[in-house]
Amino acid sequence: MVTFVTVCGILFTVGFFLYALSAVDNHSLDKKEKIRKAKDDSFRGADPKKVYSKDWNPDVPRPRLCPVCGTMLRKDEFLYAAISSHINSEGKKQAQIYGCKYCYLQMDQDSNSIHNKPEEQPEL
């Protein structure tokens, strides 16, 4: 019986120690995530021609920009594009980029509402 209580005590202590380490690590990751998100939100646009040109410093990571309007995109935002089924002479497929949700869907950057809603068609 004493052995069982000792083993349970050791397992409880190890479990609590691992939980405490996990909580501290999650707390530091949350702080880093908030700092990164604040940095991303503070810079919302740039000139895509400068970012995607060959003059860009290869030591500096490129920001995620919409090539149509130049809006800074977060990791969870994406571009609207279509890839053709035709393969060109270089063996690659052509991609047509329409833009991001701010220029293609014309959504406001502060809210999720669409400015240009489709007009209602009269019933025939």
Side-chain angles (χ1 to χ4, degrees):
M1 182 68 177
V2 175
T3 307
F4 177 72
V5 172
T6 305
V7 169
C8 287
I10 291 172
L11 289 177
F12 177 75
T13 305
V14 169
F16 181 76
F17 179 72
L18 291 176
Y19 173 76
L21 283 178
S22 154
V24 168
D25 190 38
N26 286 341
H27 184 67
S28 67
L29 288 175
D30 289 343
K31 278 186 179 179
K32 289 178 185 178
E33 179 73 21
K34 285 180 184 176
I35 291 170
R36 185 195 60 77
K37 191 169 186 171
K39 232 185 241 187
D40 284 351
D41 290 341
S42 67
F43 178 69
R44 290 301 301 165
D47 185 14
K49 292 180 182 177
K50 291 181 181 177
V51 173
Y52 294 118
S53 72
K54 293 182 181 180
D55 298 333
W56 188 264
N57 184 359
D59 298 332
V60 178
R62 292 180 192 230
R64 295 187 71 235
L65 291 179
C66 172
V68 177
C69 65
T71 303
M72 182 75 173
L73 301 174
R74 295 188 314 260
K75 287 185 178 182
D76 60 341
E77 297 174 332
F78 51 88
L79 295 174
Y80 292 92
I83 299 176
S84 69
S85 59
H86 177 71
I87 299 175
N88 64 9
S89 60
E90 298 173 358
K92 298 179 181 178
K93 294 183 179 182
Q94 183 71 30
Q96 180 71 34
I97 299 174
Y98 298 120
C100 63
K101 69 179 184 180
Y102 304 116
C103 60
Y104 182 63
L105 296 180
Q106 298 178 353
M107 294 181 81
D108 189 15
Q109 289 186 2
D110 296 331
S111 67
N112 290 335
S113 63
I114 297 177
H115 291 296
N116 294 335
K117 294 183 180 177
E119 297 177 8
E120 292 184 21
Q121 298 293 330
E123 292 184 24
L124 297 176

